[in-house]
């Protein structure tokens, strides 16, 4: 190590809120009026290379300030860290943060404090990938299996997946990885779109957007359900008519139901052949999901965007409770915990179809799916990344969707960086948008 | 309603921290140096009766400020509420807070935001009981079963317990309630003590405190374990020698182990006949607890102080994962959710032995156990409340322990109120203790 190695010098935070509730974008059975927001942070260093690490938690409005406060509570763990060693081993930070016994009391490993840890850890991965000059998916796909295993915390999951088993999965994943990387760079990997299906949209808008989705090359769309059964029947019929029989139509209840309701409601919609029912009940209810899955087959059961950590995912897999595992890039403890979850899914043979949308979730999670395709599961069969066409314009390297596929990012980093002018405009409550909003 | 009914006029918050880490009080395998703290709030009204509602979240130091910020995020839900209707139906507030869709994103129903909801809801119950002129246990024990059922949120638990089943349990609980109330007022209900068993204590101190516990009338003590097996064997042998065969000795690993380790370690301590193994692994691991319970019987399995909500408790009961259910007064969404959990426990026939200690947890949770004894389970068989003799001096109506029993509080309220001088001294960072600490 040099005498004066570069260190982390600042953890700057921002409370960023977009007024999305005014258009009913993002409205569903549990979230009638979200204001898509980000509790955002920038890691700065004294390396003199101009590189920063960006990360964030996605929230839907109120409480974004609490999430920012949680990120700020982690600042002492970051300041003064040597950048080289931090970026060479983000897992060391992950372990320190998860293991801070006083902060652990506020979870453990769940909710506001855990999401804050995820944002900080993700910012380190963004910085590490920028320094490496690679997009994050490529950094991960090119990494040695032994190193990837060292990045995973096996506490509480070793009864389902041992480090040796994980290593074996990653070694198998290397076979043919170069060919798959070429395929990925050529054509991307499949997405599906939720844009037609928000509850607040009219049937006419739903039909138009569903037809547009098919014309755009998507082979799957998704509809929000769960507020009113008659409405859902009408909307699902309209969607099926709009897209025809060859397109998958998933439905998403956003946790609206009890177990019995989930079964009855899903069965009542079965004639329209929904591909999966997403979040039929509480994300905490492992046994409930198992019961629902048994009752609604062949409709598949999907969940994950609100699943708090690898321990709950482990049990969903152990209990045979899900057909589709939906990781989220900003819910769990960052890339390290998502590596654990991807490995668990591969071990149990369950496809991963990430949750995305919100603010920047598409930008982040594409990297994890691309790593999964290139160097772990090795397939895109039954694997699609959610796509929603909101708010991408605020990012420096927004996702690129082409013929229903996510194109592989080539810019170094985790695609997490927001434009400075967007941060200035939508910072709450003192950004230019919010100031103007109050005075008009 | 009168023309100008009394309303909530203020939600004042305090970040209170005690420097407990300096004495190793509270040290265990996962929490080597806790600074027992409270994110504390006071509800004020314009009723002119001098009554306030007090509530808090217990934390162990860092992050207490984040917890305070979460409580403050709930302020808009409280200000201006009519005191009469709020206190007549705390469940209405509980539903509003749990149902705030934007804040819900930060859980849902777990971690920092959920504990903040619990603190606010508990403060309303404190105010309601003061206005009623009764200690909270008595308010609950005297309440109509129908009203108690109306206070419970059955969402996500109705597959295990319906409102009708809950009503029937509460009606049965009324039989003989007056006699049990007299028994309670006469002799209290049993406690057990963790004071001898902190990991940081010497064997000599452990032995002395264990003997003292028996002399004080306790029939159960508890030891922290999980850091080092040889140490645990030595400490458990010393404890068993100190108390003799007739006293129950529980052990507590504070989530230290994976499933396999939990089984092996507990079996290695079995010769000392531990009564229960508490928190053998992650509180999120329902299936893990079930596997451990099967393997370590007849040692009982206990957990709950970190169990995030009624949905996880439901599954622990459905899966037959626990012998002992440990509610905590300040982890879940307040009295309303703890009513749901007590009802679930009664329905499954599992005894409730609350977690306590920390700051004020004994003061709060005794009310829930006393309600359970008088008007729900109707028995103290295998039911004990944890007792730790720390920090009670900071409360206006501290717990009273006599011959190993918690005496029934008679002062109106939830026993949640801290002395103003304690708040002034230990407020962080500007209380007199912390200011003096920095300047010496």
């Amino acid at each position: 190590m040099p005498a004066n190695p570069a260190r982390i010098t600042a953890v700057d935070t921002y409370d960023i809120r977009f007024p999305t509730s005014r258009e009913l974008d993002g409205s569903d059975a549990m979230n009638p009026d979200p204001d898509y927001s980000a509790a955002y942070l920038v890691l700065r260093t004294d390396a003199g290379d101009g590189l920063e690490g960006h990360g964030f938690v996605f929230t839907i409005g109120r409480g974004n300030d609490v999430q920012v406060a949680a990120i700020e509570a982690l600042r002492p763990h970051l300041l003064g860290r040597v950048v080289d060693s931090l970026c060479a081993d983000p897992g060391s930070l992950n372990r320190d943060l998860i293991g801070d016994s006083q902060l652990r009391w506020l979870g453990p490993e769940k909710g506001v404090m855990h999401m804050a840890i995820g944002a900080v850890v993700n910012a380190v991965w963004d910085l590490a990938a920028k320094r490496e000059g690679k997009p994050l998916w490529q950094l991960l796909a090119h990494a040695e299996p032994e190193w990837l295993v060292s990045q995973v915390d096996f506490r509480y999951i070793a009864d389902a997946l041992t480090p040796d088993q994980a290593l074996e999965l990653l070694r198998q994943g290397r076979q043919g990885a170069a060919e798959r990387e070429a395929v990925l760079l050529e054509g991307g990997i499949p997405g599906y779109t939720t844009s037609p299906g928000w509850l607040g949209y009219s049937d006419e808008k739903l039909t138009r957007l569903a037809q547009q989705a098919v014309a755009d090359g998507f082979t799957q769309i998704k509809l929000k359900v769960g507020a009113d059964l008659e409405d859902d029947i009408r909307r699902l019929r309209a969607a099926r008519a709009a897209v025809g029989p060859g397109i998958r139509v998933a439905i998403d209840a956003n946790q609206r139901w009890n177990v019995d309701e989930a079964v009855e409601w899903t069965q009542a919609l079965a004639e329209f052949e929904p591909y999966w029912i997403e979040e039929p009940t509480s994300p905490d209810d492992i046994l409930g999901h198992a019961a629902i899955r048994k009752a609604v087959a062949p409709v598949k059961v999907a969940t994950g965007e609100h699943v708090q950590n690898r321990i709950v995912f482990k049990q969903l897999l152990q209990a045979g409770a899900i057909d589709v595992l939906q990781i989220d890039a900003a819910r769990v403890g960052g890339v390290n915990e998502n590596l654990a979850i991807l490995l668990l899914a591969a071990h149990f043979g369950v496809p991963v179809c990430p949750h995305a949308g919100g603010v920047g979730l598409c930008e982040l999670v594409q990297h994890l799916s691309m790593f999964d395709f290139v160097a772990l599961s090795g397939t895109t069969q039954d694997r699609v990344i959610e796509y929603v066409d909101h708010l991408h314009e605020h990012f420096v390297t927004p996702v690129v969707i082409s013929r229903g596929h996510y194109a592989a990012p080539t810019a170094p980093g985790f695609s997490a960086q927001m434009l400075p002018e967007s941060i200035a405009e939508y910072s709450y409550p003192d950004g230019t948008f919010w100031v103007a909003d109050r005075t008009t």
Side-chain angles (χ1 to χ4, degrees), chain A residues 176-218:
Chain A
E179 292 76 9
R180 287 190 296 277
E181 184 171 338
V183 168
L184 171 65
L185 287 166
E186 176 68 25
I189 57 176
Y192 75 92
T193 179
T194 308
S195 293
W198 302 108
L199 271 193
Y201 288 177
S202 68
D203 290 4
E204 184 279 323
K205 187 168 183 181
L206 185 167
T207 296
R208 178 167 50 81
L209 291 174
Q211 288 169 337
Q212 185 63 50
V214 177
D216 289 344
F218 291 102

Side-chain angles (χ1 to χ4, degrees), chain A residues 288-302:
Chain A
H289 279 85
I292 292 165
R293 180 172 178 240
K294 207 166 166 182
V296 305
V299 179
K300 296 179 188 296
V301 170

Side-chain angles (χ1 to χ4, degrees), chain A residues 39 41 56-57 59 63-78 93-94 96-122 308-309 330-334 337:
Chain A
L41 77 124
F56 55 87
V57 179
T59 83
N64 202 50
D65 50 336
V66 179
Q67 192 60 63
V68 169
I71 292 170
E72 291 176 348
L74 301 175
R75 189 176 276 138
H77 283 281
L78 273 296
L93 175 70
N94 188 55
D96 288 352
L97 296 178
I98 299 289
D100 180 321
S101 61
Q102 296 191 358
L103 295 178
R104 183 179 166 78
W105 192 269
L106 301 178
E109 303 194 51
K110 59 182 65 77
V112 166
M113 191 48 68
H114 198 51
M115 292 193 285
I117 290 172
V120 167
V121 167
N122 282 348
Q308 64 205 33
N309 58 35
R331 172 70 55 184
V332 301
E337 189 160 25

Side-chain angles (χ1 to χ4, degrees), chain A residues 223-240:
Chain A
L223 260 62
K224 300 292 183 176
V225 298
D228 180 277
L229 181 56
E230 293 310 308
D231 281 351
D232 287 349
I233 290 173
R234 198 191 67 249
R235 294 169 63 252
L236 201 47
R237 178 177 288 126
R240 180 54 78 197

